[in-house]
Amino acid sequence: MSASSIESKLSILADAAKYDASCASSGSKRDSRGGLGSTEGMGICHSYTPDGRCVSLLKILLTNVCIFDCQYCVNRVSSDTPRARMSVEEVVRLTMDFYRRNYIEGLFLSSGIIRSSDYTMEQLVLVAQTLRERESFRGYIHLKTIPGSSEDLIEKAGLYADRLSVNIELPTVKDLHTLAPEKKRDEIEGTMGKIHVRRDEIATDQRIGIRTPKFAPAGQSTQMIVGATDTSDREILDTSSSLYQTHRLRRVYYSAFSPIPHADSRLPGSAPPLIREHRLYQADWLIRFYGFDAAELTTPEQANLPLDLDPKHAWALAHRDMFPIDINKASRELLLRIPGIGERGVKRILRTRRHHAIRDEDLSRLGVVYRRARPFVITADRHPGPLQIDSLDLKKKTQPKQRQLMLFDALESAGNGQV
């Protein structure tokens, strides 16, 4: 295979892979002795580039040929997009060559469906197996698992990959039925369930002292496209919450719909604002780490997250009866609900108040965003009073100030060597 041919395939398949958001830092521990590469240190980040989210990870499709006709996908069978297919050996060689040149820290491999789910999954597994066994590659591997694959292929995939992911595709069964009727929610979740069960079995064996090989040590994740249908954020967060609880996913990734050429008339003509994707990630974080229930962040009447405020701030403004909260007495759960106070700030508050009462002047030193949190908290020397929490312009007073970012903010400090 000539270099120009490889370059041409890379151009097509790496570009096609940019629509897949579901890869991230590994969080995986893999023994790197006697091999090449490591998953430790700084994680492997996401890859696609046009908006600045960039990564040192070979993110590629094995092929963008696909037998399915999902209307939101540029690689659907009815699309006239250029097609290419890598062989297993070509992906292995590229990964090793790029790694040795320090271009990448790992591999994220997905694929269109060729022939059948099992055939496609076999090819993906073969890449990972060859990297691990023949090339002694110890870097990060994320394999996209094909829904409906057989159990033994999933088992093998989990032994070689750090992370497995199965795309949920769209937020609701109705959305899937409308835009991708060949894909079935039951089959997708069935594959997630197999990974979950196998991870649980391995964990149980390890707890009772049985030595077992690692199985997808960085867990499993999924991705859903938002904005391709008019499904609300409330329904999206309901689905995410259910997936976290049922399959113990490590992450749900939200990928704003990208308009594609010659799209179906049922699809929107423009992409949703990226801020919507950002708000969903913020809400997702609140559900996973701050004790919020998905249903608390929206209402049946206001089913979408506000775009001008982060979800916790918006929740606090809508529940003013719960504030102000005494920062010296409140439980951890209540402290986590105060705007401007993050998880790290709560830890510092709990640690500090064992030794002395927290005063107003202490807040900034504890990592609290003072302007945002001030009306919502009582400190040892200040009570904001009921009028302040009820004031009509509280949103304006506590809203983050817009600031124009400068590309060369650090120019002066770079000149004097302080960067």
Side-chain angles (χ1 to χ4, degrees), residues 166-398:
V166 189
N167 280 358
I168 197 76
E169 305 287 346
L170 293 166
T172 67
V173 174
K174 180 186 167 194
D175 293 338
L176 210 56
H177 181 72
T178 304
L179 296 177
E182 293 158 302
K183 294 190 173 173
K184 309 296 179 195
R185 175 63 68 85
D186 289 349
E187 190 174 65
I188 294 169
E189 289 211 44
T191 303
M192 287 179 180
K194 288 175 187 171
I195 296 170
H196 173 206
V197 167
R198 188 63 188 128
R199 278 175 51 78
D200 273 1
E201 288 173 350
I202 294 276
T204 303
D205 287 348
Q206 288 173 342
R207 273 197 298 274
I208 60 177
I210 299 174
R211 291 175 64 88
T212 52
K214 288 180 178 175
F215 181 86
Q220 66 165 322
S221 57
T222 192
Q223 173 194 356
M224 70 171 76
I225 298 168
V226 298
T229 60
D230 58 3
T231 301
S232 67
D233 293 344
R234 188 174 178 83
E235 292 171 281
I236 291 170
L237 293 173
D238 276 349
T239 298
S240 301
S241 196
S242 168
L243 292 174
Y244 282 126
Q245 289 169 14
T246 309
H247 304 296
R248 292 191 197 166
L249 300 188
R250 188 67 66 89
R251 286 288 302 273
V252 174
Y253 291 87
Y254 305 96
S255 175
F257 167 71
S258 299
I260 53 177
H262 312 297
D264 187 277
S265 60
R266 291 167 293 180
L267 292 167
S270 59
L274 273 180
I275 188 68
R276 184 183 180 195
E277 187 182 291
H278 181 60
R279 296 297 181 219
L280 283 167
Y281 276 118
Q282 289 178 319
D284 187 279
W285 190 267
L286 294 179
I287 293 167
R288 286 189 293 146
F289 300 111
Y290 282 64
F292 280 83
D293 187 87
E296 290 183 272
L297 299 171
T298 56
T299 63
E301 298 76 29
Q302 185 65 44
N304 287 318
L305 297 166
L307 298 181
D308 59 340
L309 278 179
D310 74 72
K312 187 164 82 164
H313 196 167
W315 177 87
L317 289 172
H319 295 82
R320 300 186 195 200
D321 54 311
M322 293 187 65
F323 297 96
I325 288 173
D326 190 334
I327 210 163
N328 286 296
K329 295 178 182 174
S331 64
R332 177 180 181 277
E333 290 71 26
L334 271 181
L335 291 173
L336 282 170
R337 293 189 170 235
I338 301 172
I341 302 183
E343 199 182 16
R344 191 176 298 177
V346 169
K347 282 181 186 170
R348 288 173 180 161
I349 288 167
L350 293 174
R351 197 165 52 233
T352 302
R353 73 186 193 186
R354 288 184 205 143
H355 305 287
H356 64 83
I358 295 171
R359 301 169 67 84
D360 217 38
E361 63 186 18
D362 297 324
L363 293 179
S364 295
R365 285 199 294 270
L366 293 171
V368 172
V369 183
Y370 182 74
R371 181 172 179 270
R372 204 178 311 165
R374 190 173 186 274
F376 297 96
V377 299
I378 299 169
T379 56
D381 59 340
R382 188 183 60 81
H383 190 302
L387 289 179
Q388 187 165 352
I389 196 68
D390 289 336
S391 63
L392 296 176
D393 61 347
L394 186 59
K395 176 180 174 181
K396 185 179 176 185
K397 283 180 180 172
T398 54

